[in-house]
Amino acid sequence: MCFMAFLRIFSLMLSVVAILACGGNAQLSPDFYASTCPNLQRIVSDAMREAIDQELRVAASVLRLFFHDCFVNGCDGSLLLDDTATFTGEKSAFPNRNSVRGFEVIDRIKSRVECECNGTVSCADILALAARDGVALHESCTQMGGPTWAVPLGRRDARTASDCAANAQLPSPTATLPTLISMFAAKGLSSRDMVALSGAHTIGFAQCSNFRARIYNETNINPIFAANRRGACPPSGGDTNLAAMDLQTPNRFDNNYYTNLLTRGGLLYSDQELFNNGRLDWLVKVYSSRAASFRRDFAAAMVKMGNINPLVGTDGEIRKNCRLVN
């Protein structure tokens, strides 16, 4: 009898260990703030609608913020932190410097959330919701079909950030396909996730310095497309000049990004690597012809990316100001 009781206790202990080993992802839930901040999603959605009405590009900017935050040590709001005397943050990293934007939008949302639910909602969760709403609200603002998804919530905010980590972990616009596959796999994301998430470039913009070499030096590019892009990107100078990654429908969240790749119209080297006589050509073809498949896989991949190493429980903090540690 005592031995059976011991077995039951031992089995219970193993179950607890197994739950803890699963990490914080299991603790995230779309209903996390249902009782503590019931109007959260409306507040974020309303603020994002106002921001997009003022500047349509905000949707792409906030979406990129979320991607760059999650890819550096997890979705913990660390990208939002300003540099301090004790650390140089991710904003100063080479992939982000003078490039990432949309911080003021997150600040405004955080301020409104704090007025409603003081010290309750993390900046990391606000960023996750704002990224989703930017895509979904793009639909109503441009009369097209942006996907939506339920956002698991319950993340907490990091107390530090690292420019070195951002430099090492963010994919380069000149990355090869094997490198991209490896970097996404390191975050628990499959090749399918990677191709689906790359579809966010359908509303994205790139700076001239990131695609100059491609439009002037590469051969795996549509010559008409390259000539068109050279108009806004001279051989020297104009490094920060912007070009839409989807020339056909830059303000619509659709699957034309993939259609462009089929005709060698990827703006970045890393874009065209997805369709370059490689192992993922078939998936680019699928997404180019089946918008519903892209929408479904993009939404699923966004949820999966949002689960990268979140801080939960008592880890981290709930920042009062997204730019500063409490």
Side-chain angles (χ1 to χ4, degrees), residues 60-75:
S61 298
V62 171
L63 185 56
R64 186 165 182 251
L65 279 182
F66 183 57
F67 178 88
H68 280 220
D69 182 50
C70 289
F71 247 68
V72 181
N73 297 330
C75 308

Side-chain angles (χ1 to χ4, degrees), residues 96-154:
N96 295 330
R97 193 182 311 142
N98 300 319
S99 173
V100 288
R101 61 195 298 274
F103 298 106
E104 296 80 5
V105 176
I106 302 303
D107 291 340
R108 286 197 296 270
I109 298 174
K110 176 63 171 176
S111 177
R112 294 183 187 184
V113 171
E114 284 296 301
C115 287
E116 178 96 5
C117 318
N118 183 46
T120 302
V121 182
S122 68
C123 298
D125 276 344
I126 287 173
L127 180 55
L129 287 169
R132 186 273 312 273
D133 289 345
V135 173
L137 289 171
H138 224 264
E139 177 174 2
S140 61
C141 292
T142 62
Q143 313 307 314
M144 37 63 67
T148 189
W149 56 93
V151 178
L153 301 168

Side-chain angles (χ1 to χ4, degrees), residues 31-87:
D31 299 323
F32 187 84
Y33 299 107
S35 60
T36 56
C37 194
N39 294 322
L40 170 64
Q41 304 224 18
R42 178 186 56 77
I43 294 170
V44 177
S45 178
D46 287 350
M48 280 300 294
R49 183 183 298 277
E50 292 174 14
I52 293 172
D53 284 343
Q54 293 174 6
E55 183 192 14
L56 197 57
R57 187 184 166 203
V58 162
S61 298
V62 171
L63 185 56
R64 186 165 182 251
L65 279 182
F66 183 57
F67 178 88
H68 280 220
D69 182 50
C70 289
F71 247 68
V72 181
N73 297 330
C75 308
D76 58 6
S78 54
L79 174 58
L80 305 176
L81 287 170
D82 289 339
D83 294 350
T84 71
T86 58
F87 66 79

Side-chain angles (χ1 to χ4, degrees), residues 136-275:
L137 289 171
H138 224 264
E139 177 174 2
S140 61
C141 292
T142 62
Q143 313 307 314
M144 37 63 67
T148 189
W149 56 93
V151 178
L153 301 168
R155 303 168 188 81
R156 289 170 65 84
D157 296 321
R159 292 191 174 100
T160 188
S162 168
D163 62 329
C164 293
N167 284 327
Q169 297 177 36
L170 288 171
S172 164
T174 60
T176 63
L177 183 60
T179 297
L180 290 169
I181 291 173
S182 176
M183 294 186 79
F184 275 73
K187 303 300 179 182
L189 299 171
S190 68
S191 296
R192 192 181 193 100
D193 296 326
M194 178 188 72
V195 177
L197 289 169
S198 296
H201 286 178
T202 189
I203 57 170
F205 291 81
Q207 294 186 354
C208 171
S209 59
N210 289 324
F211 62 86
R212 177 183 285 118
R214 172 155 169 74
I215 62 175
Y216 284 101
N217 303 330
E218 293 179 18
T219 57
N220 184 29
I221 188 170
N222 185 308
I224 297 175
F225 171 79
N228 179 289
R229 292 312 196 188
R230 289 172 190 154
C233 185
S236 62
D239 285 359
T240 59
N241 291 356
L242 293 175
M245 295 188 193
D246 177 359
L247 182 61
Q248 294 173 295
T249 54
N251 292 323
R252 295 183 60 187
F253 200 100
D254 57 22
N255 61 336
N256 274 336
Y257 166 80
Y258 303 102
T259 305
N260 296 337
L261 297 183
L262 300 184
T263 58
R264 296 181 297 155
L267 184 61
L268 302 179
Y269 178 89
S270 57
D271 286 328
Q272 198 59 56
E273 278 288 276
L274 302 183
F275 187 83

